[in-house]
Amino acid sequence: MYQLDITLRRGQSLAARDRGGTSDPYVKFKIGRKEVFRSKIIHKNLNPVWEEKACLLVDHLREPLYIKVFDYDFGLQDDFMGSAFLDLTQLELNRPTDVTLTLKDPHYPDHDLGIILLSVVLTPKEGEHVFQTQSLRLSDVHRKSHLWRGIVSITLIEGRDLKAMDSNGLSDPYVKFRLGHQKYKSKIMPKTLNPQWREQFDFHLYEERGGIIDITAWDKDAGKRDDFIGRCQIDLSALSREQTHKLELQLEEGEGHLVLLVTLTASATVSISDLSVNSLEDQKEREEILKRYSPLRIFHNLKDVGFLQVKVIRAEGLMAADVTGKSDPFCVVELNNDRLLTHTVYKNLNPEWNKVFTFNIKDIHSVLEVTVYDEDRDRSADFLGKVAIPLLSIQNGEQKAYVLKNKQLTGPTKGVIYLEIDVIFNAVKASLRTLIPKEQKYIEEENRLSKQLLLRNFIRTKRCVMVLVNAAYYVNSCFDWDSPPRSLAAFVLFLFVVWNFELYMIPLVLLLLLTWNYFLIISGKDNRQRDTVVEDMLEDEEEDDDKDDKDSEKKGFINKIYAIQEVCISVQNILDEVASFGERIKNTFNWTVPFLSWLAIVALCAFTVILYFIPLRYIVLVWGINKFTKKLRNPYAIDNNELLDFLSRVPSDVQVVQYQELKPDPSHSPCKRKKNNLG
């Protein structure tokens, strides 16, 4: 067996495949008909520079390495740009070699398609050492087992004098950021050449010397591919730390500027250790952590809300992913954009990891995700199972067996994982954090068109609308005297409320409704019903996804028509947003997340008292002065709506189903070890 280290350098004079006379090239490496590497896409460039490395394990040298170049076309079949092959038997062992390969098309051998430049090193590898290190063929997302050294906070303020890409002389601009494997995308600002974004993104900085952030600006076009506006870069090594830098960057290959604020700070506390070494079992460290998040330190570092410790102990009865009837499982622990992973346990369906992970909590409403993968050296890792655990539902110090779920978190898959989790947080900081925007995840799956998902969102929206319709019917029945006693009571109540109405009664009524539901729940008269309708829809959607996976090579005609797909996805997302909004309001009053319902009670009590004692004109005056002077006091303040930020933390009915803990098989009864609750 051999190890082949390849550095994909660059391409020169590649073929143009797009109407604009450019291409969006990427490269595939194949050995024995298996894809072993795929590069990133370089947009609108015939002389792309990749500088990407791949480490491949080769069984024998008889099979050549095939290099194929494609032009990326969103929503359509990618265009072939040429291929070449590297004869591995011609390489000298243990010697770095620069290789220049001429791209050819077998159907048109006379066409000049450019060249690809590589650097390769071939080294022999002893058989017994092959499986001692984790495969480098894991996707970039899951390869980062080392800890980051800092955080880069970017605030996208505005664009100035951007290039007009549409026929109306305007553009619909948005911006993409990339640092290594981390990617963000801003919101779209319609019909403007001077967009105001006011959005913030955080990147992890892995390299001591910094790194390069690639920034590209695009014009959104419904029905066709988005237009490229321009690009720029930020060299982080040139920026000083613990200081905010205002940058005005000229867009290359286009027109206009982007204005950003960039801050480099030291890393938050994250760590990986063995089970024998953990913070909370050291009495001194434990007391220090409890002191850090005590009620007396409310205004010290408001972004540092709490501390999370996760013990990943073992898994049992995992799915066999390899032909040998075994798996090579490893575990990825994620909290928002913080991702850490365990080592791989080879040839085992009952692995023991015994690792301890610690994270800083920036939002107590975050969800801890623990995913088990099977390592595969020939391709990206295979999914084995996943659990999602809201931090507020964690019982401190209890070792539990969590049933692994499928990718959609809608049903069980094979196996359980044993975790012990502790959460310590400051409740006041957590409450204040609830009223600012949620952290955006930099790795999220692209929305795709799904008949089942579209139907599910339609039914959810219909259920929310029907609540309002039924309420209107009920009120109308009072007007029609369908039930004389009810209509008489409603009439008397109407006269009393209108005659005595004051503004403070609005939050007071909401407060009474929350309190009424709370006493119903604690008295055992909980009228909340398990949402079997949503569960059934999610199961149907899972079956539909399975069919999609099986038929991925036989896409229907609808997937080729990008315009229709774009419109349908927009409708699908709008229905989801409307339904989620209604469900979140319902779940606030249903005490689905008690912390948030108590926070609502505190806020409504405060509003009631304020409206009762302070005249409305003073309240409106203070509100107006704050709104008019906000940009004067802080020109780069990020706009937000506290009520919407609060509701974004309340789970929708779909999320409630996804976060439900499945009951393990009785044979998987873990040994429970209770400690004092730290929350």
mmCIF file of all heavy atoms in Angstrom, residues 434-466:
data_model
loop_
_atom_site.group_PDB
_atom_site.id
_atom_site.type_symbol
_atom_site.label_atom_id
_atom_site.label_comp_id
_atom_site.label_asym_id
_atom_site.label_seq_id
_atom_site.Cartn_x
_atom_site.Cartn_y
_atom_site.Cartn_z
ATOM 1 N N THR A 434 -31.376 36.550 24.682
ATOM 2 C CA THR A 434 -32.566 36.131 23.946
ATOM 3 C C THR A 434 -33.114 37.250 23.067
ATOM 4 O O THR A 434 -33.792 36.985 22.070
ATOM 5 C CB THR A 434 -33.654 35.669 24.937
ATOM 6 O OG1 THR A 434 -33.103 34.647 25.780
ATOM 7 C CG2 THR A 434 -34.864 35.101 24.230
ATOM 8 N N LEU A 435 -32.819 38.497 23.414
ATOM 9 C CA LEU A 435 -33.408 39.640 22.721
ATOM 10 C C LEU A 435 -32.516 40.198 21.623
ATOM 11 O O LEU A 435 -32.772 41.295 21.116
ATOM 12 C CB LEU A 435 -33.737 40.745 23.739
ATOM 13 C CG LEU A 435 -34.665 40.314 24.886
ATOM 14 C CD1 LEU A 435 -34.891 41.466 25.846
ATOM 15 C CD2 LEU A 435 -35.987 39.797 24.340
ATOM 16 N N ILE A 436 -31.452 39.483 21.258
ATOM 17 C CA ILE A 436 -30.611 39.900 20.131
ATOM 18 C C ILE A 436 -30.599 38.766 19.110
ATOM 19 O O ILE A 436 -30.939 37.624 19.424
ATOM 20 C CB ILE A 436 -29.176 40.265 20.580
ATOM 21 C CG1 ILE A 436 -28.459 39.062 21.175
ATOM 22 C CG2 ILE A 436 -29.195 41.403 21.576
ATOM 23 C CD1 ILE A 436 -27.018 39.341 21.541
ATOM 24 N N PRO A 437 -30.233 39.039 17.853
ATOM 25 C CA PRO A 437 -30.349 38.016 16.795
ATOM 26 C C PRO A 437 -29.561 36.746 17.096
ATOM 27 O O PRO A 437 -28.499 36.780 17.716
ATOM 28 C CB PRO A 437 -29.798 38.732 15.552
ATOM 29 C CG PRO A 437 -30.007 40.185 15.818
ATOM 30 C CD PRO A 437 -29.824 40.349 17.308
ATOM 31 N N LYS A 438 -30.094 35.615 16.630
ATOM 32 C CA LYS A 438 -29.421 34.325 16.779
ATOM 33 C C LYS A 438 -28.156 34.281 15.936
ATOM 34 O O LYS A 438 -28.059 34.953 14.903
ATOM 35 C CB LYS A 438 -30.345 33.188 16.317
ATOM 36 C CG LYS A 438 -31.493 32.893 17.229
ATOM 37 C CD LYS A 438 -32.377 31.799 16.674
ATOM 38 C CE LYS A 438 -31.696 30.451 16.705
ATOM 39 N NZ LYS A 438 -32.615 29.363 16.295
ATOM 40 N N GLU A 439 -27.203 33.493 16.394
ATOM 41 C CA GLU A 439 -25.990 33.275 15.596
ATOM 42 C C GLU A 439 -26.329 32.455 14.365
ATOM 43 O O GLU A 439 -27.004 31.433 14.444
ATOM 44 C CB GLU A 439 -24.939 32.540 16.433
ATOM 45 C CG GLU A 439 -23.644 32.286 15.689
ATOM 46 C CD GLU A 439 -22.622 31.523 16.520
ATOM 47 O OE1 GLU A 439 -22.918 31.188 17.678
ATOM 48 O OE2 GLU A 439 -21.532 31.257 15.994
ATOM 49 N N GLN A 440 -25.861 32.907 13.224
ATOM 50 C CA GLN A 440 -26.120 32.208 11.969
ATOM 51 C C GLN A 440 -25.130 31.061 11.799
ATOM 52 O O GLN A 440 -23.944 31.203 12.062
ATOM 53 C CB GLN A 440 -25.987 33.193 10.802
ATOM 54 C CG GLN A 440 -26.321 32.600 9.452
ATOM 55 C CD GLN A 440 -26.205 33.626 8.336
ATOM 56 O OE1 GLN A 440 -26.123 34.819 8.598
ATOM 57 N NE2 GLN A 440 -26.176 33.168 7.109
ATOM 58 N N LYS A 441 -25.634 29.913 11.370
ATOM 59 C CA LYS A 441 -24.749 28.767 11.145
ATOM 60 C C LYS A 441 -24.102 28.892 9.777
ATOM 61 O O LYS A 441 -24.767 29.208 8.790
ATOM 62 C CB LYS A 441 -25.533 27.453 11.232
ATOM 63 C CG LYS A 441 -26.043 27.146 12.635
ATOM 64 C CD LYS A 441 -26.529 25.724 12.757
ATOM 65 C CE LYS A 441 -25.381 24.753 12.856
ATOM 66 N NZ LYS A 441 -25.799 23.391 13.229
ATOM 67 N N TYR A 442 -22.786 28.662 9.721
ATOM 68 C CA TYR A 442 -22.095 28.828 8.448
ATOM 69 C C TYR A 442 -22.150 27.574 7.584
ATOM 70 O O TYR A 442 -21.766 27.601 6.426
ATOM 71 C CB TYR A 442 -20.651 29.292 8.618
ATOM 72 C CG TYR A 442 -19.714 28.360 9.340
ATOM 73 C CD1 TYR A 442 -19.315 27.164 8.787
ATOM 74 C CD2 TYR A 442 -19.186 28.707 10.583
ATOM 75 C CE1 TYR A 442 -18.435 26.327 9.439
ATOM 76 C CE2 TYR A 442 -18.298 27.883 11.243
ATOM 77 C CZ TYR A 442 -17.928 26.692 10.668
ATOM 78 O OH TYR A 442 -17.060 25.872 11.321
ATOM 79 N N ILE A 443 -22.632 26.468 8.141
ATOM 80 C CA ILE A 443 -22.803 25.272 7.315
ATOM 81 C C ILE A 443 -24.256 24.838 7.424
ATOM 82 O O ILE A 443 -24.679 24.322 8.445
ATOM 83 C CB ILE A 443 -21.885 24.130 7.770
ATOM 84 C CG1 ILE A 443 -20.433 24.523 7.572
ATOM 85 C CG2 ILE A 443 -22.205 22.850 7.017
ATOM 86 C CD1 ILE A 443 -19.453 23.500 8.035
ATOM 87 N N GLU A 444 -25.026 25.112 6.389
ATOM 88 C CA GLU A 444 -26.419 24.718 6.354
ATOM 89 C C GLU A 444 -26.716 24.152 4.972
ATOM 90 O O GLU A 444 -26.199 24.621 3.969
ATOM 91 C CB GLU A 444 -27.341 25.913 6.635
ATOM 92 C CG GLU A 444 -27.275 26.391 8.080
ATOM 93 C CD GLU A 444 -28.284 27.500 8.357
ATOM 94 O OE1 GLU A 444 -28.273 28.497 7.634
ATOM 95 O OE2 GLU A 444 -29.065 27.340 9.297
ATOM 96 N N GLU A 445 -27.562 23.145 4.964
ATOM 97 C CA GLU A 445 -27.886 22.517 3.693
ATOM 98 C C GLU A 445 -28.708 23.479 2.838
ATOM 99 O O GLU A 445 -29.557 24.209 3.334
ATOM 100 C CB GLU A 445 -28.685 21.225 3.927
ATOM 101 C CG GLU A 445 -27.854 20.119 4.557
ATOM 102 C CD GLU A 445 -28.627 18.818 4.647
ATOM 103 O OE1 GLU A 445 -29.776 18.790 4.134
ATOM 104 O OE2 GLU A 445 -28.097 17.865 5.215
ATOM 105 N N GLU A 446 -28.416 23.454 1.532
ATOM 106 C CA GLU A 446 -29.194 24.269 0.597
ATOM 107 C C GLU A 446 -30.636 23.766 0.582
ATOM 108 O O GLU A 446 -30.896 22.568 0.586
ATOM 109 C CB GLU A 446 -28.599 24.161 -0.802
ATOM 110 C CG GLU A 446 -27.287 24.909 -0.977
ATOM 111 C CD GLU A 446 -27.480 26.404 -1.096
ATOM 112 O OE1 GLU A 446 -28.580 26.832 -1.505
ATOM 113 O OE2 GLU A 446 -26.541 27.134 -0.759
ATOM 114 N N ASN A 447 -31.590 24.716 0.572
ATOM 115 C CA ASN A 447 -32.981 24.326 0.445
ATOM 116 C C ASN A 447 -33.213 23.690 -0.914
ATOM 117 O O ASN A 447 -32.733 24.181 -1.928
ATOM 118 C CB ASN A 447 -33.881 25.559 0.593
ATOM 119 C CG ASN A 447 -33.880 26.096 2.007
ATOM 120 O OD1 ASN A 447 -33.882 25.323 2.954
ATOM 121 N ND2 ASN A 447 -33.863 27.401 2.152
ATOM 122 N N ARG A 448 -33.930 22.591 -0.932
ATOM 123 C CA ARG A 448 -34.240 21.949 -2.196
ATOM 124 C C ARG A 448 -35.741 21.722 -2.280
ATOM 125 O O ARG A 448 -36.442 21.673 -1.272
ATOM 126 C CB ARG A 448 -33.499 20.620 -2.350
ATOM 127 C CG ARG A 448 -33.847 19.578 -1.311
ATOM 128 C CD ARG A 448 -33.001 18.325 -1.508
ATOM 129 N NE ARG A 448 -33.371 17.279 -0.580
ATOM 130 C CZ ARG A 448 -34.359 16.428 -0.777
ATOM 131 N NH1 ARG A 448 -35.097 16.515 -1.858
ATOM 132 N NH2 ARG A 448 -34.639 15.487 0.107
ATOM 133 N N LEU A 449 -36.225 21.591 -3.497
ATOM 134 C CA LEU A 449 -37.655 21.428 -3.717
ATOM 135 C C LEU A 449 -38.076 20.019 -3.333
ATOM 136 O O LEU A 449 -37.475 19.040 -3.743
ATOM 137 C CB LEU A 449 -37.981 21.697 -5.186
ATOM 138 C CG LEU A 449 -39.464 21.652 -5.566
ATOM 139 C CD1 LEU A 449 -40.250 22.664 -4.758
ATOM 140 C CD2 LEU A 449 -39.631 21.908 -7.050
ATOM 141 N N SER A 450 -39.112 19.924 -2.483
ATOM 142 C CA SER A 450 -39.617 18.636 -2.034
ATOM 143 C C SER A 450 -41.140 18.705 -1.998
ATOM 144 O O SER A 450 -41.707 19.598 -1.366
ATOM 145 C CB SER A 450 -39.066 18.286 -0.651
ATOM 146 O OG SER A 450 -39.807 17.235 -0.066
ATOM 147 N N LYS A 451 -41.789 17.778 -2.685
ATOM 148 C CA LYS A 451 -43.250 17.756 -2.697
ATOM 149 C C LYS A 451 -43.800 17.574 -1.288
ATOM 150 O O LYS A 451 -44.742 18.257 -0.879
ATOM 151 C CB LYS A 451 -43.721 16.625 -3.614
ATOM 152 C CG LYS A 451 -45.239 16.526 -3.741
ATOM 153 C CD LYS A 451 -45.643 15.339 -4.606
ATOM 154 C CE LYS A 451 -45.345 14.028 -3.912
ATOM 155 N NZ LYS A 451 -45.817 12.851 -4.661
ATOM 156 N N GLN A 452 -43.193 16.670 -0.515
ATOM 157 C CA GLN A 452 -43.665 16.419 0.837
ATOM 158 C C GLN A 452 -43.436 17.628 1.740
ATOM 159 O O GLN A 452 -44.285 17.967 2.559
ATOM 160 C CB GLN A 452 -42.952 15.182 1.410
ATOM 161 C CG GLN A 452 -43.357 13.874 0.760
ATOM 162 C CD GLN A 452 -44.789 13.482 1.063
ATOM 163 O OE1 GLN A 452 -45.377 13.979 2.014
ATOM 164 N NE2 GLN A 452 -45.363 12.615 0.248
ATOM 165 N N LEU A 453 -42.283 18.283 1.582
ATOM 166 C CA LEU A 453 -41.993 19.448 2.410
ATOM 167 C C LEU A 453 -42.945 20.596 2.082
ATOM 168 O O LEU A 453 -43.434 21.296 2.975
ATOM 169 C CB LEU A 453 -40.543 19.883 2.191
ATOM 170 C CG LEU A 453 -40.037 21.054 3.036
ATOM 171 C CD1 LEU A 453 -40.182 20.753 4.515
ATOM 172 C CD2 LEU A 453 -38.589 21.369 2.699
ATOM 173 N N LEU A 454 -43.216 20.791 0.802
ATOM 174 C CA LEU A 454 -44.157 21.832 0.381
ATOM 175 C C LEU A 454 -45.542 21.555 0.952
ATOM 176 O O LEU A 454 -46.215 22.468 1.474
ATOM 177 C CB LEU A 454 -44.203 21.893 -1.147
ATOM 178 C CG LEU A 454 -44.961 23.052 -1.783
ATOM 179 C CD1 LEU A 454 -44.344 24.383 -1.392
ATOM 180 C CD2 LEU A 454 -44.971 22.913 -3.299
ATOM 181 N N LEU A 455 -45.984 20.300 0.899
ATOM 182 C CA LEU A 455 -47.289 19.923 1.444
ATOM 183 C C LEU A 455 -47.315 20.101 2.960
ATOM 184 O O LEU A 455 -48.295 20.605 3.523
ATOM 185 C CB LEU A 455 -47.601 18.471 1.067
ATOM 186 C CG LEU A 455 -48.918 17.895 1.606
ATOM 187 C CD1 LEU A 455 -50.101 18.672 1.041
ATOM 188 C CD2 LEU A 455 -49.035 16.410 1.257
ATOM 189 N N ARG A 456 -46.230 19.699 3.616
ATOM 190 C CA ARG A 456 -46.169 19.844 5.079
ATOM 191 C C ARG A 456 -46.287 21.301 5.496
ATOM 192 O O ARG A 456 -47.045 21.646 6.402
ATOM 193 C CB ARG A 456 -44.847 19.266 5.593
ATOM 194 C CG ARG A 456 -44.712 19.294 7.103
ATOM 195 C CD ARG A 456 -43.288 18.969 7.525
ATOM 196 N NE ARG A 456 -42.443 20.147 7.445
ATOM 197 C CZ ARG A 456 -41.133 20.125 7.627
ATOM 198 N NH1 ARG A 456 -40.519 18.983 7.842
ATOM 199 N NH2 ARG A 456 -40.427 21.230 7.575
ATOM 200 N N ASN A 457 -45.538 22.187 4.823
ATOM 201 C CA ASN A 457 -45.584 23.604 5.179
ATOM 202 C C ASN A 457 -46.949 24.214 4.882
ATOM 203 O O ASN A 457 -47.417 25.096 5.615
ATOM 204 C CB ASN A 457 -44.490 24.365 4.429
ATOM 205 C CG ASN A 457 -43.103 24.002 4.918
ATOM 206 O OD1 ASN A 457 -42.949 23.426 5.996
ATOM 207 N ND2 ASN A 457 -42.082 24.311 4.138
ATOM 208 N N PHE A 458 -47.586 23.742 3.802
ATOM 209 C CA PHE A 458 -48.935 24.234 3.494
ATOM 210 C C PHE A 458 -49.921 23.837 4.587
ATOM 211 O O PHE A 458 -50.738 24.649 5.037
ATOM 212 C CB PHE A 458 -49.392 23.679 2.136
ATOM 213 C CG PHE A 458 -50.813 24.024 1.791
ATOM 214 C CD1 PHE A 458 -51.138 25.299 1.347
ATOM 215 C CD2 PHE A 458 -51.823 23.081 1.927
ATOM 216 C CE1 PHE A 458 -52.459 25.625 1.044
ATOM 217 C CE2 PHE A 458 -53.136 23.398 1.627
ATOM 218 C CZ PHE A 458 -53.458 24.676 1.179
ATOM 219 N N ILE A 459 -49.859 22.574 5.026
ATOM 220 C CA ILE A 459 -50.781 22.103 6.068
ATOM 221 C C ILE A 459 -50.524 22.841 7.381
ATOM 222 O O ILE A 459 -51.466 23.225 8.091
ATOM 223 C CB ILE A 459 -50.640 20.577 6.252
ATOM 224 C CG1 ILE A 459 -51.121 19.850 4.992
ATOM 225 C CG2 ILE A 459 -51.427 20.099 7.462
ATOM 226 C CD1 ILE A 459 -50.877 18.359 4.996
ATOM 227 N N ARG A 460 -49.252 23.058 7.719
ATOM 228 C CA ARG A 460 -48.932 23.797 8.947
ATOM 229 C C ARG A 460 -49.476 25.220 8.898
ATOM 230 O O ARG A 460 -50.044 25.720 9.874
ATOM 231 C CB ARG A 460 -47.417 23.820 9.160
ATOM 232 C CG ARG A 460 -46.817 22.484 9.532
ATOM 233 C CD ARG A 460 -45.299 22.531 9.479
ATOM 234 N NE ARG A 460 -44.768 23.536 10.365
ATOM 235 C CZ ARG A 460 -43.639 24.215 10.134
ATOM 236 N NH1 ARG A 460 -42.961 24.011 9.013
ATOM 237 N NH2 ARG A 460 -43.221 25.102 10.992
ATOM 238 N N THR A 461 -49.300 25.879 7.740
ATOM 239 C CA THR A 461 -49.820 27.242 7.593
ATOM 240 C C THR A 461 -51.341 27.248 7.668
ATOM 241 O O THR A 461 -51.944 28.126 8.310
ATOM 242 C CB THR A 461 -49.363 27.841 6.248
ATOM 243 O OG1 THR A 461 -47.942 27.766 6.162
ATOM 244 C CG2 THR A 461 -49.794 29.287 6.113
ATOM 245 N N LYS A 462 -51.972 26.256 7.039
ATOM 246 C CA LYS A 462 -53.433 26.165 7.064
ATOM 247 C C LYS A 462 -53.941 26.002 8.496
ATOM 248 O O LYS A 462 -54.954 26.612 8.881
ATOM 249 C CB LYS A 462 -53.877 24.981 6.202
ATOM 250 C CG LYS A 462 -55.386 24.795 6.140
ATOM 251 C CD LYS A 462 -55.749 23.576 5.297
ATOM 252 C CE LYS A 462 -57.252 23.322 5.344
ATOM 253 N NZ LYS A 462 -57.618 22.099 4.579
ATOM 254 N N ARG A 463 -53.241 25.212 9.303
ATOM 255 C CA ARG A 463 -53.662 25.009 10.695
ATOM 256 C C ARG A 463 -53.593 26.311 11.483
ATOM 257 O O ARG A 463 -54.474 26.601 12.300
ATOM 258 C CB ARG A 463 -52.780 23.949 11.359
ATOM 259 C CG ARG A 463 -52.999 22.555 10.800
ATOM 260 C CD ARG A 463 -51.934 21.599 11.279
ATOM 261 N NE ARG A 463 -52.069 21.309 12.687
ATOM 262 C CZ ARG A 463 -51.094 20.799 13.437
ATOM 263 N NH1 ARG A 463 -49.923 20.545 12.882
ATOM 264 N NH2 ARG A 463 -51.289 20.563 14.707
ATOM 265 N N CYS A 464 -52.528 27.118 11.241
ATOM 266 C CA CYS A 464 -52.413 28.407 11.929
ATOM 267 C C CYS A 464 -53.521 29.363 11.500
ATOM 268 O O CYS A 464 -54.116 30.065 12.324
ATOM 269 C CB CYS A 464 -51.041 29.031 11.646
ATOM 270 S SG CYS A 464 -49.655 28.126 12.336
ATOM 271 N N VAL A 465 -53.807 29.390 10.188
ATOM 272 C CA VAL A 465 -54.868 30.270 9.684
ATOM 273 C C VAL A 465 -56.227 29.828 10.223
ATOM 274 O O VAL A 465 -57.078 30.668 10.571
ATOM 275 C CB VAL A 465 -54.860 30.274 8.139
ATOM 276 C CG1 VAL A 465 -56.071 31.017 7.586
ATOM 277 C CG2 VAL A 465 -53.574 30.903 7.620
ATOM 278 N N MET A 466 -56.434 28.505 10.326
ATOM 279 C CA MET A 466 -57.725 28.008 10.806
ATOM 280 C C MET A 466 -57.991 28.386 12.256
ATOM 281 O O MET A 466 -59.155 28.506 12.662
ATOM 282 C CB MET A 466 -57.789 26.481 10.642
ATOM 283 C CG MET A 466 -57.940 26.010 9.198
ATOM 284 S SD MET A 466 -59.319 26.772 8.326
ATOM 285 C CE MET A 466 -60.709 26.192 9.304
#
